[in-house]
Amino acid sequence: MARQMTGARMVVQALKDQGVDTVFGYPGGAVLPIYDEIFQQNDIQHILVRHEQGAVHAAEGYARSTGKPGVVLVTSGPGATNAVTGLADALLDSIPIVVLTGQVPTFLIGTDGFQEADTVGITRPCTKHNWLVKETDRLPGILHEAFHVATAGRPGPVLVDIPKDVQFATGTYTAPVKGGSKRYQPQVKGDMTEINELVEALESAKKPIFYTGGGVINSGGAASQLLRELVEATGAPITSTLMGLGAYPGTGKNWLGMLGMHGLYEANMAMHDCDLLIAVGARFDDRITGRTDAFSPHSVKAHIDIDPSSINKVIRVDIPIVGDVAHVLEDMLKVWKSRGRKMNREALTKWWAQIDKWRAVDCLQFRNSDKIIKPQHALQRLEALTKDRDRYITTEVGQHQMWAAQYLTFDEPKRWMTSGGLGTMGYGFPASIGVQMAHRDALVINVAGEASWMMNMQELGTAMQFRLPVKQFILNNERLGMVRQWQQLLHGERYSSSWSESLPDFVKLAEAFGAKGIQCSDPADLDDAIMEMVNHDGPVVFDCLVEKHENCFPMIPSGEPHNKMLLGDAAATDAIQGAGAALV
Amino acid sequence: MNALQIKKGSTKHSAYNLRPTFSDVEEAHTLAVLVDNEAGVLARVIGLFSGRGYNIDSLTVAEVDHTGHLSRITIVTRGTPQVIEQIKAQLGRIVPVHRVHDLTVEGPAVERELALLKVAGAGDKRVEALRLADIFRASVVDSTLDSFVFEITGAPEKIDAFADLMRPLGLIEMARTGVAALSRGSDAYRQGG
């Protein structure tokens, strides 16, 4: 139904028609008409963040924990440029985000007007697509197309730049059309010839492995269910990237744990030695492959991905399947069942016996202490005390992030929000706010390091204002732990700028915002302190003082293949040498 | 070969040709990219090439369908077969890109480029320039007592050859359009499909 209304009202109407209930944003001159419309309605709640980067990460947390697109509204110029890190983060992790930016009026564009920036130019390489709307009549169509592009195919961030005169002018509103924009319709069904070939390979494989990633989670709940069914039925082992944790349960019997640079020994060894590698919604990131010319050298490789450009980008594969994970897995299961559910069971038993030997190495063991809290121990206790709750975990970036991936268990998808591709310090706190907005009664914990957390700690104000009881579990080692670890491994223990000088008193900091602060330094007090955090009805900043020089193991040093893992400190100092030293 | 007896890079074709030939030799490919003629589309294509470190030997763009708002970008690029496949896949996922055609592998194609060359000189050199222009079927589009501007159309190699000959005869300035290309025969790349 076509109706006349202002561009600003169109924005709110389009958000409603797209089913949006929450917008994260920050007002400014170029978006005032839209904020005026938001003020005059009650269907959409606006969450006022304290920095535009926080708005985008919050929207990412909202999106990843719900499967719905996250929506951000910010002003022109600095509002838009502050959102750039979040856009780049969402692009690398394939998170559906719709960012609406104000822009100076069309007649000022190009004059270096106040708070003018070339927003579509700046964000072009860090969005899936973006638009500058120059006519109010085109606004509703573009907004609907923006939601379609953000969510269809491989999800990603989009941005719509709306000049202020376009917001004020009146035009004709049009409702969304079913099926979305005709010009963007990615292929979702996989090619049956390739699927048949993959099933044949699976039936005869002696050492198969599933290597799954965030694509399984993005594909939706059905994809995780189908993956579980396929893994259970075939009896093949499964590992996952950081992004894919939870698609297959962390307590499942075929689960090898995360793979990659800080992945589990058994997962990486199995990747190296397998004879059939089935990549599902994963993209062979350099954190996963290690040295590419020695990556899984004896395997036939199949790759299921909705993005054709992911296939053969890094690792050349033998069976490429372009399609949506859920569609392809469904077809794969059907074909495998119709061909008689065959597997090389005898070989598979041997394969598991080998895997069990690797498991016996117990690569996550660490030397615990009763005097000082080890970060691994802190996470083990957090896991033990919260695993039975309706729990969501976000993280910042660094050692704590890897330990969280190693020591926490995820049995369901969309429970684990972490900046995987871009590695954005400062992601976790605002993300936890977005998650809590979507799941008001859930226990939302941000596992953080003190350095990362301080990058967006202003969002404590947001958490307080909107009564979001997010728990900030800070593993405080007074160091940029991962940087320090690499300096030990690569730069002769010259710890250049990797300590956190002049840290605040986190308890007082929390109290200054009206939140609760808890500090814990004695392993004996840890359980009680964690329970105090969990049971407090409000935001908590938990300052967990941990061992300052703990290193994150196991680890594949850069430039090495999967079977050259470091298991502990003895081999660590100056472990990265040669060509690997140039890698990050 | 490997344990599962599947030939590496075996070629059963899916909708996408994702099984490259595993060669490490760089090849030049001519790509025809049909795009919506909208603001920023050329920046998206160029940004993709610069951002991901791909080469552009030549690039031309113009609207080819006014009512359908379609433009055709012709890109000559260079890379290993794996890189060329990656370039095509990356181009294909740009939202306003309708189709990407690799004219180098999709059958025979004609490639043409137009160039303008300004040659200044007098006496024998001037006469020789005019004689060679005639051989190359270049036409004179501007003339003064001490200069010519030649217009020449042809494959890039022909223009290179003509320019090489003109250089000792007083070539002082040149403008080239870059390559435009079409497949031979009656098949056509039209809108939408």
Side-chain angles (χ1 to χ4, degrees), chain A residues 199-447:
Chain A
V199 169
E200 280 174 41
L202 184 61
E203 286 169 348
S204 56
K206 295 186 171 120
K207 299 187 279 184
I209 187 168
F210 284 95
Y211 147 52
T212 61
V216 182
I217 291 167
N218 276 338
S219 177
S224 293
Q225 284 311 317
L226 287 160
L227 177 71
R228 290 163 189 221
E229 190 184 344
L230 186 62
V231 169
E232 300 299 333
T234 58
I238 175 170
T239 177
S240 161
T241 66
L242 181 74
M243 292 294 297
L245 297 178
Y248 183 84
T251 52
K253 70 175 169 42
N254 293 18
W255 176 241
L256 300 188
M258 182 175 79
L259 82 161
M261 182 173 275
H262 292 288
L264 270 64
Y265 182 72
E266 49 268 42
N268 284 332
M269 292 301 283
M271 285 289 281
H272 191 83
D273 276 16
C274 67
D275 69 349
L276 174 65
L277 188 161
I278 306 172
V280 189
R283 61 182 178 86
F284 297 93
D285 180 88
D286 56 76
R287 296 295 101 155
I288 295 304
T289 58
R291 205 173 110 194
T292 48
D293 63 0
F295 172 76
S296 194
H298 313 296
S299 62
V300 164
K301 297 173 184 73
H303 190 179
I304 302 166
D305 203 297
I306 198 161
D307 180 359
S309 76
S310 282
I311 293 175
N312 285 327
K313 181 172 67 178
V314 179
I315 296 291
R316 291 168 175 179
V317 298
D318 308 291
I319 308 173
I321 302 175
V322 174
D324 168 60
V325 167
H327 284 81
V328 174
L329 289 183
E330 189 180 10
D331 286 339
M332 216 181 134
L333 255 170
K334 260 189 218 153
V335 171
W336 182 71
K337 284 177 182 169
S338 71
R339 287 170 54 98
R341 299 166 175 263
K342 286 178 285 195
M343 286 298 284
N344 187 345
R345 297 285 169 196
E346 202 178 325
L348 212 52
T349 308
K350 276 191 203 154
W351 181 221
W352 275 110
Q354 173 61 60
I355 289 170
D356 285 340
K357 277 183 204 156
W358 290 323
R359 275 178 168 165
V361 169
D362 191 13
C363 67
L364 292 183
Q365 61 179 309
F366 60 96
R367 234 172 301 147
N368 210 347
S369 159
D370 55 4
K371 295 194 174 60
I372 190 149
I373 300 175
K374 291 279 188 160
Q376 303 96 320
H377 175 68
L379 287 165
Q380 280 182 336
R381 295 316 304 156
L382 186 72
E383 169 72 3
L385 295 169
T386 62
K387 66 180 177 189
D388 296 327
R389 303 208 176 216
D390 179 18
R391 185 188 73 177
Y392 293 81
I393 300 284
T394 68
T395 78
E396 305 287 346
V397 168
Q399 286 183 322
H400 67 273
Q401 178 190 27
M402 295 297 110
W403 281 318
Q406 291 171 344
Y407 291 93
L408 304 182
T409 303
F410 301 94
D411 281 341
E412 295 298 331
K414 299 178 191 165
R415 296 278 170 161
W416 163 249
M417 275 53 61
T418 190
S419 174
L422 195 67
T424 310
M425 291 172 72
Y427 167 89
F429 188 6
S432 72
I433 286 172
V435 174
Q436 190 85 70
M437 265 310 296
H439 309 276
R440 294 303 291 244
D441 299 324
L443 174 62
V444 181
I445 303 171
N446 174 34
V447 176

Side-chain angles (χ1 to χ4, degrees), chain A residues 130 183 187 307 312 318, chain B residues 18-19 36 44 82 93:
Chain A
N130 61 15
R183 68 168 177 166
Q187 176 184 338
D307 180 359
N312 285 327
D318 308 291
Chain B
L18 291 166
R19 298 186 163 183
D36 287 322
R44 286 180 210 286
Q82 191 179 7
R93 69 181 195 149

Side-chain angles (χ1 to χ4, degrees), chain B:
Chain B
M1 296 291 279
N2 45 64
L4 287 176
Q5 308 297 311
I6 291 178
K7 196 165 151 258
K8 290 252 178 193
S10 62
T11 51
K12 275 182 198 161
H13 283 276
S14 68
Y16 298 86
N17 179 18
L18 291 166
R19 298 186 163 183
T21 49
F22 299 99
S23 161
D24 286 326
V25 180
E26 285 207 349
E27 305 167 351
H29 282 240
T30 304
L31 308 180
V33 189
L34 288 173
V35 301
D36 287 322
N37 183 15
E38 62 180 34
V41 65
L42 185 59
R44 286 180 210 286
V45 170
I46 293 171
L48 168 69
F49 276 76
S50 63
R52 293 185 183 266
Y54 304 141
N55 302 304
I56 298 179
D57 285 359
S58 142
L59 184 145
T60 66
V61 56
E63 189 174 73
V64 290
D65 176 355
H66 185 66
T67 48
H69 297 290
L70 279 181
S71 291
R72 182 172 174 123
I73 302 175
T74 308
I75 306 169
V76 181
T77 184
R78 191 171 291 279
T80 62
Q82 191 179 7
V83 168
I84 297 288
E85 287 305 317
Q86 182 63 202
I87 290 171
K88 288 189 272 183
Q90 292 287 355
L91 284 169
R93 69 181 195 149
I94 296 176
V95 172
V97 167
H98 287 251
R99 300 179 73 172
V100 180
H101 289 285
D102 187 340
L103 293 168
T104 307
V105 298
E106 290 178 19
V110 281
E111 298 190 359
R112 289 292 179 272
E113 187 177 4
L114 185 145
L116 298 172
L117 296 90
K118 185 177 285 184
V119 180
D124 288 351
K125 285 189 173 177
R126 185 171 159 83
V127 175
E128 180 65 9
L130 202 59
R131 208 178 63 79
L132 284 168
D134 192 41
I135 292 169
F136 275 77
R137 273 179 271 169
S139 51
V140 178
V141 292
D142 177 69
S143 171
T144 67
L145 289 176
D146 54 6
S147 73
F148 290 120
V149 174
F150 295 113
E151 173 195 313
I152 181 170
T153 310
E157 299 75 31
K158 176 181 165 184
I159 293 171
D160 289 344
F162 185 61
D164 287 346
L165 288 171
M166 286 299 120
R167 211 156 273 124
L169 299 178
L171 176 65
I172 54 171
E173 194 176 356
M174 175 162 63
R176 299 175 69 153
T177 59
V179 170
L182 281 182
S183 64
R184 291 181 186 270
S186 60
D187 288 348
Y189 306 143
R190 291 204 179 85
Q191 173 188 353

Side-chain angles (χ1 to χ4, degrees), chain A residues 12 44 57 65 98 162 177 232 256 290 375 379-380 389 451 466 469 474 484 508 514 562 564:
Chain A
V12 173
I44 297 169
H57 293 325
S65 66
V98 178
I162 313 172
V177 288
E232 300 299 333
L256 300 188
L379 287 165
Q380 280 182 336
R389 303 208 176 216
F466 295 93
I474 301 172
R484 192 209 58 76
K508 280 187 184 160
H562 279 171
K564 294 265 160 54

Side-chain angles (χ1 to χ4, degrees), chain A residues 531-544:
Chain A
M531 288 316 294
E532 191 185 351
M533 171 184 84
V534 168
N535 291 328
H536 179 69
D537 181 22
V540 177
V541 179
F542 189 111
D543 183 17
C544 188

